[in-house]
Amino acid sequence: MAWPLHGLTLSTPDLVLRVMTEADALALGELVPDDVTTDPSHPDLGARVEQTYWRHMATWRPEDWVLPFTVLRDGALLGVQALEGKDFSVRRVVDSYSWLVTGARGQGVGKQMRAAVLELAFRGLGAAYAVSEAYADNAASLGVSRALGYGPNGFGVEKRDDGSGPVRMEHVVLAAADWHPPWPV
């Protein structure tokens, strides 16, 4: 195996998360929904998935990393769940981002895939905290965070990726001591 991270796989009762490969990035680029927020200066969402993958892999260091996972159910690509640790060796804090194909939404997939990377972060990597953020009107993302035990951690006022705004950005946090995985991972 050329890159050891590609050997990492996480499993939940319904999902398999494997570290994204270049082939996965190409395939996911064909599936990314139009409503996924992204850099408005880069209108080709498929190319954006590929470039993001390459950037994450090219800049990966043990103390500062983003680890993108491909999410699969019964072999079908459903989306992306990433875990990131900026200055992780000192801060011990992880963040995450994700997106799902439209047909996989509203089925508990988002909760399972975030739970999988939280289990890796807290039990596998020794993270002290997990943080996340979402636009105040992104009920699905905030609902996943609440369901997994995150609590309020303030807010910011920002513009959306498309340049519109201002919009409230909700910040949430989960301490390792408060993590109780809802499924085995």
Side-chain angles (χ1 to χ4, degrees):
M1 182 170 307
W3 187 238
L5 295 174
H6 287 130
L8 179 59
T9 300
L10 307 173
S11 298
T12 71
D14 301 318
L15 306 174
V16 172
L17 285 76
R18 66 176 186 230
V19 173
M20 189 182 295
T21 65
E22 185 174 356
D24 292 331
L26 291 168
L28 287 161
E30 299 293 321
L31 301 175
V32 64
D34 290 339
D35 64 347
V36 170
T37 57
T38 186
D39 181 351
S41 68
H42 202 302
D44 183 343
L45 293 176
R48 182 77 174 153
V49 171
E50 296 162 35
Q51 288 181 341
T52 299
Y53 164 76
W54 293 324
R55 182 176 59 253
H56 292 334
M57 291 297 114
T59 60
W60 203 98
R61 296 185 336 267
E63 66 277 359
D64 197 1
W65 45 267
V66 179
L67 191 55
F69 288 89
T70 300
V71 180
L72 301 107
R73 181 175 52 198
D74 299 325
L77 291 172
L78 300 183
V80 172
Q81 174 67 66
L83 184 68
E84 47 190 304
K86 299 296 181 193
D87 200 18
F88 185 76
S89 57
V90 174
R91 297 177 60 230
R92 311 306 288 179
V93 175
V94 295
D95 197 348
S96 62
Y97 73 82
S98 63
W99 62 261
L100 282 169
V101 297
T102 306
R105 296 174 184 175
Q107 301 171 23
V109 174
K111 187 174 169 184
Q112 276 193 56
M113 59 197 226
R114 176 105 59 96
V117 296
L118 288 173
E119 184 69 1
L120 171 64
F122 290 134
R123 306 264 193 262
L125 301 175
Y129 296 94
V131 296
S132 191
E133 63 182 19
Y135 294 124
D137 61 358
N138 188 341
S141 179
L142 293 170
V144 166
S145 295
R146 278 192 299 277
L148 292 174
Y150 287 77
N153 193 31
F155 71 94
V157 177
E158 300 179 17
K159 61 182 179 180
R160 291 190 186 272
D161 291 338
D162 67 5
S164 66
V167 65
R168 185 178 170 116
M169 181 70 77
E170 299 291 334
H171 300 276
V172 293
V173 64
L174 175 62
D178 297 328
W179 172 237
H180 306 290
W183 306 276
V185 177

